[in-house]
Amino acid sequence: MKNNQPTDPVNAQHRLSLTYMEPVPDAPFKLRHLVQIHDRETFAHIEESWSKLHVLYIITAGQARLIGADGKLTLTAGSAFIRRAGSLLQHDSYRGSLSPVQGIAIAFDFTDQQHRCWPFASPTPISSHLIVDKAAELAKVCTTGHNSSSFRVHILFYELLDMLQDQVATTPEPDHFWLDGALRHIHKMYAQPLTREQMAKASNVSPEHFSREFKRYTGLTFVEYVSRLRIRMAQEHLLLGSPTLQEVARLTGYKDSFYLSRKFKQIVGAAPAHYRNTPKKIVSLTFNYTASLLALGCIPHIGAVASWMESGLDKHVQHQMKQYAEHELLAHPQLIAEVNPDIIIGYAPHPAMDELRMIAPTILMPFEELDWQQQFIQIGRMTGLESKAQAIIHQYHQLEQDANETLDNLIGENRGSAVCLFLYGEQGAYVFGHSWGRASHILYESLGFSPPTRMLKDGRLPNGYIHVPLSDIHLYAADYIFVAYPEEAAEQQAVISRMNEESWSTLAAIRNGYLYSIDADMFYGFDPVSIMKQLKNIMHHFTSHLSMH
């Protein structure tokens, strides 16, 4: 029977419009893995395991020096870098002065292997606190996924990729290569005679163009910039030692101490002779130095603070000190400039060293080259509290002496071997050498234990560390084993399952009851307060257990 009902014009219009709708594109990528980076050695493990996947590295603290197909690159706190599948990275074997690295690694892949589009341009590090914050949110959801919607992880992943693509698209190409080169030359040769005409000629621009662009780029004239840099260097020399004014003048490019003093007072507001004794507003770029300053009773105006420190800060410190994560201070130097500090301290090297030095004298210390006591003395010296720093170190040496007398009675002078294992679930464990904190320097230098034989073979002493796969942790066993277990239940289960295997359960330390659990947060700090807590905790384990054997 023929239907003679009239056609609904609205529905007909809808059916017609659907015919001309654009097809929705397929999702180009899929998230595969996410892992927290605890130390630089993690990179080698990730590169080996995820060689066929794209990897997004996001650094939240410290620095990592890598070698890729396009040469060397340094990833610093607050930066992100995408390594395409197959273009592997290697950790630079040169042992320079880099600070411990933490961050997030995210592995992803094309959803369609036939039609692949790469929207992120050439591989260059990107500095963006928004990207770092988004990655941190993604990591948090991944580790507590049972409390979140199953869609949330993928929503955050695509928001992160969208931010990366926007960042690549909006980053302008630098048009001041010549000026960047001139600034590098100034910072290298500040103690030598420098003129505008000389710099303009070397930059292949006219003196007038050089002056105009220099002022627009730096906010200072060429003469003002050089003068400020020289005085900053003079401040740093005075903070770290007791040179004569004539020596400082020679080191900073001034013809005599009289002219130096006049420029110093003009820029700093105090004569060099009185500078050391004036109260100083301090910015600490790294949490270990924030903790060291607090140990001296010196509250920085701005301090980088790690999560393990937050619960230990009293209300007075919280009120007096502006707290930031390390990557926030790196990504936002204006936060530092706004408070007009008198000193900036942190780890060397620092990618914004030249910029920071124009804000205030900047003392950057090489983490690997100085032990914690040398670093602490330097901080005491620059704050005028060196005698207090020496007193705290003396207090540590007294604890150290008492501990050794106790161990002589419990164990004897031949201590045997000991090791601290920091376990991260299926990611494996980290073992540290003498100069990298995590209590290894306490065991090997203060208390006279030997490291595991396998670690000596790996060549990771006197400094450095090694990542150990979970299947191989038994190879790094010692007479006494201290273990920091992971916090997450799933990671704990992976560790416990491995420890139930014969290769682990039959170790002498396990059979003798010399396996001790330690708190990863307590053993993270490399400052005097943390180190004394670590020593006391280690001795508590020894005295509690060895006295019963």
Side-chain angles (χ1 to χ4, degrees):
M1 180 177 175
K2 188 175 181 181
N3 186 352
N4 293 319
Q5 289 183 343
T7 302
D8 182 346
V10 176
N11 288 335
Q13 184 179 359
H14 282 182
R15 287 195 295 272
L16 182 64
S17 63
L18 287 174
T19 307
Y20 297 100
M21 286 183 67
E22 291 292 332
V24 177
D26 293 331
F29 298 106
K30 50 190 170 186
L31 176 62
R32 292 296 193 185
H33 309 286
L34 183 146
V35 67
Q36 300 277 359
I37 300 171
H38 298 282
D39 293 280
R40 296 205 314 255
E41 197 71 22
T42 311
F43 283 104
H45 185 62
I46 289 173
E47 290 298 299
E48 179 182 350
S49 303
W50 297 350
S51 60
K52 296 181 180 179
L53 298 172
H54 311 300
V55 180
L56 168 61
Y57 289 110
I58 294 148
I59 306 303
T60 57
Q63 300 166 321
R65 187 162 43 223
L66 304 172
I67 304 174
D70 298 320
K72 295 184 179 182
L73 67 146
T74 300
L75 301 183
T76 57
S79 66
F81 178 82
I82 295 181
R83 188 269 288 155
R84 294 189 69 174
S87 56
L88 301 183
L89 298 170
Q90 288 182 320
H91 177 64
D92 193 343
S93 59
Y94 170 72
R95 296 199 60 76
S97 302
L98 291 182
S99 57
V101 67
Q102 296 179 54
I104 301 162
I106 300 169
F108 59 100
D109 197 6
F110 288 113
T111 53
D112 184 349
Q113 295 299 326
Q114 300 299 320
H115 303 90
R116 298 180 296 177
C117 176
W118 187 253
F120 304 115
S122 58
T124 55
I126 297 170
S127 294
S128 169
H129 74 98
L130 295 175
I131 289 174
V132 175
D133 292 344
K134 183 65 67 176
E137 185 180 358
L138 172 60
K140 183 177 181 180
V141 172
C142 284
T143 55
T144 58
H146 58 281
N147 296 324
S148 304
S149 163
S150 58
F151 300 109
R152 186 64 181 154
V153 169
H154 300 283
I155 291 171
L156 291 171
F157 172 60
Y158 271 98
E159 286 179 352
L160 180 60
L161 295 187
D162 186 57
M163 293 170 68
L164 282 164
Q165 186 177 11
D166 285 346
Q167 185 77 15
V168 169
T170 57
T171 301
E173 289 295 323
D175 56 357
H176 280 88
F177 289 116
W178 65 268
L179 190 47
D180 291 336
L183 289 171
R184 285 194 296 271
H185 182 79
I186 292 169
H187 279 265
K188 183 178 179 181
M189 307 298 293
Y190 63 89
Q192 303 300 318
L194 295 171
T195 67
R196 182 191 70 157
E197 287 70 21
Q198 170 194 358
M199 297 301 302
K201 183 177 181 181
S203 303
N204 200 29
V205 296
S206 69
E208 294 74 21
H209 182 70
F210 180 90
S211 294
R212 183 170 55 252
E213 292 302 302
F214 193 96
K215 177 67 179 290
R216 188 168 69 88
Y217 193 66
T218 66
L220 300 170
T221 66
F222 171 73
V223 172
E224 290 170 339
Y225 191 95
V226 173
S227 295
R228 181 177 295 187
L229 175 59
R230 286 172 172 169
I231 295 303
R232 291 286 182 259
M233 298 306 300
Q235 289 175 280
E236 291 174 25
H237 285 300
L238 292 171
L239 286 168
L240 292 177
S242 301
T244 66
L245 284 184
Q246 193 60 44
E247 288 174 321
V248 176
R250 178 182 59 81
L251 291 169
T252 55
Y254 287 107
K255 58 185 178 181
D256 55 52
S257 57
F258 176 78
Y259 191 59
L260 165 66
S261 295
R262 186 158 65 88
K263 295 298 293 184
F264 194 101
K265 189 170 184 179
Q266 178 185 334
I267 292 174
V268 179
H274 302 293
Y275 172 66
R276 286 196 191 94
N277 300 322
T278 58
K280 294 178 177 63
K281 189 186 296 183
I282 301 174
V283 170
S284 171
L285 302 176
T286 178
F287 53 79
N288 273 325
Y289 292 162
T290 299
S292 294
L293 288 165
L294 295 177
L296 290 169
C298 178
I299 303 175
H301 192 78
I302 290 179
V305 174
S307 58
W308 60 268
M309 296 174 58
E310 293 171 354
S311 61
L313 296 176
D314 62 39
K315 292 183 179 179
H316 176 65
V317 171
Q318 292 179 21
H319 178 72
Q320 294 290 325
M321 181 178 69
K322 296 180 181 179
Q323 302 170 45
Y324 295 95
E326 288 186 356
H327 70 84
E328 291 179 299
L329 293 177
L330 184 63
H332 300 285
Q334 71 272 16
L335 293 173
I336 300 171
E338 286 168 0
V339 302
N340 193 26
D342 300 304
I343 309 175
I344 302 169
I345 64 172
Y347 289 140
H350 193 288
M353 175 68 184
D354 294 348
E355 184 178 359
L356 292 175
R357 186 164 271 155
M358 298 309 291
I359 297 172
T362 301
I363 310 297
L364 301 180
M365 290 180 276
F367 180 85
E368 289 183 359
E369 296 173 15
L370 303 176
D371 64 26
W372 74 269
Q373 298 181 44
Q374 293 171 312
Q375 294 176 49
F376 190 50
I377 290 297
Q378 290 276 54
I379 292 172
R381 185 171 297 144
M382 72 180 74
T383 56
L385 297 168
E386 185 174 356
S387 60
K388 189 170 184 178
Q390 293 281 14
I392 292 173
I393 290 176
H394 177 74
Q395 182 183 354
Y396 175 79
H397 288 321
Q398 186 61 54
L399 289 173
E400 184 182 67
Q401 181 178 336
D402 294 343
N404 276 290
E405 290 176 0
T406 300
L407 290 175
D408 284 344
N409 293 328
L410 290 173
I411 302 175
E413 293 185 4
N414 184 10
R415 296 281 194 262
S417 60
V419 68
C420 281
L421 299 175
F422 292 82
L423 301 175
Y424 297 98
E426 294 182 356
Q427 300 174 45
Y430 287 91
V431 188
F432 292 82
H434 286 184
S435 304
W436 269 88
R438 308 297 202 283
S440 58
H441 56 296
I442 296 176
L443 291 175
Y444 306 138
E445 295 179 0
S446 296
L447 302 181
F449 287 92
S450 301
T453 304
R454 180 59 178 264
M455 195 173 182
L456 290 170
K457 291 180 180 178
D458 290 333
R460 293 294 179 174
L461 296 175
N463 58 9
Y465 52 86
I466 187 167
H467 174 269
V468 182
L470 199 57
S471 59
D472 292 345
I473 55 173
H474 64 281
L475 299 176
Y476 293 81
D479 297 325
Y480 306 93
I481 302 175
F482 295 83
V483 176
Y485 294 95
E487 294 182 1
E488 294 300 321
E491 294 177 339
Q492 287 181 13
Q493 188 57 49
V495 169
I496 292 170
S497 296
R498 181 64 64 178
M499 288 182 167
N500 287 332
E501 295 180 358
E502 183 179 0
S503 60
W504 176 264
S505 60
T506 57
L507 293 173
I510 310 302
R511 295 197 314 270
N512 296 331
Y514 296 155
L515 175 70
Y516 309 119
S517 176
I518 57 176
D519 180 77
D521 281 353
M522 178 188 291
F523 278 73
Y524 199 92
F526 202 53
D527 62 280
V529 173
S530 295
I531 288 169
M532 282 193 269
K533 286 182 180 178
Q534 293 162 17
L535 175 58
K536 291 176 181 177
N537 188 261
I538 287 172
M539 290 307 300
H540 171 74
H541 284 298
F542 279 134
T543 55
S544 299
H545 292 79
L546 291 176
S547 59
M548 297 186 297
H549 284 72

